Amino acid sequence: MQMNRVLCLILAGGRGSRFGSPLKFLSNICGKPILERLVEDIDVVCQHILIALSKRTLNASYICRGSLVDCIETPGESFVEDLSLLLDALPKPILAVAADIYIPYKGILVDFLKSAIESEKDITTLTTIDKNGCEELIGIALFKKASGSWKNVQYPQDSIVDVDEASDLEKARHLCESHYK
């Protein structure tokens, strides 16, 4: 069975205020910047990758020199505003991914995309469940339309890391090191 591949949008134009730097996605995990690792990780489900940068994050435009990846500049006012602008302009379906995501187990992304494509919902978001049973949005969603009905697909807490704070970066580094031992 041929796996569906979609347009992938990496949102990398934010302020990084919780982390202390808009370029947090250039922090290294196992010897590679998060953004480079993310491009490699999502490539398995993408027909093309578009990275949305802002004036604060244009330093990362070097990654857009490959044939699979292009960059676009957005206002960078907020994640939601940039995403809304791009969802209105781009063809669907779109897999939108925050630039600060570490995916140690790529099979989860393949499973998520399959579930999202098969769903009758317009939007499917990936969430994780912590040890207390609380659901957390991660920053990965498949949009068949810019708005409408949605569902969440849940995965265990350590299956994907959203690097919002320095402690998240350390968690991602630890997962990477233990994954490659």
Side-chain angles (χ1 to χ4, degrees), residues 97-166:
V97 182
D100 59 357
I101 302 292
Y102 171 61
I103 307 170
Y105 309 103
K106 290 159 204 52
I108 288 174
L109 194 56
V110 172
D111 179 72
F112 169 76
L113 186 60
K114 181 179 183 295
S115 176
I117 287 173
E118 290 173 355
S119 171
E120 294 183 15
K121 302 295 184 181
D122 300 316
I123 302 164
T124 304
T125 55
L126 189 150
T127 62
T128 58
I129 301 297
D130 68 16
K131 57 186 165 229
N132 298 321
C134 296
E135 189 172 38
E136 181 180 353
L137 289 170
I138 290 298
I140 298 176
L142 180 79
F143 292 86
K144 295 177 185 173
K145 295 181 181 176
S147 63
S149 61
W150 81 89
K151 77 169 191 170
N152 293 341
V153 177
Q154 301 172 347
Y155 293 91
Q157 184 178 30
D158 288 340
S159 56
I160 293 180
V161 180
D162 183 0
V163 180
D164 288 330
E165 300 174 356

Side-chain angles (χ1 to χ4, degrees), residues 7-88:
L7 173 62
C8 293
L9 172 64
I10 298 175
L11 291 133
R15 291 186 164 95
S17 53
R18 288 178 282 179
F19 189 82
S21 170
L23 296 172
K24 64 182 173 179
F25 54 79
L26 294 181
S27 299
N28 280 327
I29 295 177
C30 288
K32 284 188 184 176
I34 296 170
L35 182 58
E36 286 182 32
R37 191 170 289 287
L38 180 62
V39 166
E40 291 173 5
D41 291 345
I42 69 172
D43 179 50
V44 67
V45 298
C46 301
Q47 68 184 19
H48 190 76
I49 298 172
L50 181 64
I51 300 176
L53 300 167
S54 72
K55 61 184 175 278
R56 287 183 295 280
T57 61
L58 284 176
N59 301 30
S61 64
Y62 71 89
I63 200 163
C64 299
R65 294 191 184 114
S67 60
L68 181 68
V69 179
D70 285 311
C71 285
I72 187 170
E73 186 175 350
T74 59
E77 295 302 317
S78 77
F79 183 91
V80 173
E81 285 181 34
D82 286 350
L83 179 59
S84 295
L85 175 77
L86 293 165
L87 285 174
D88 287 342

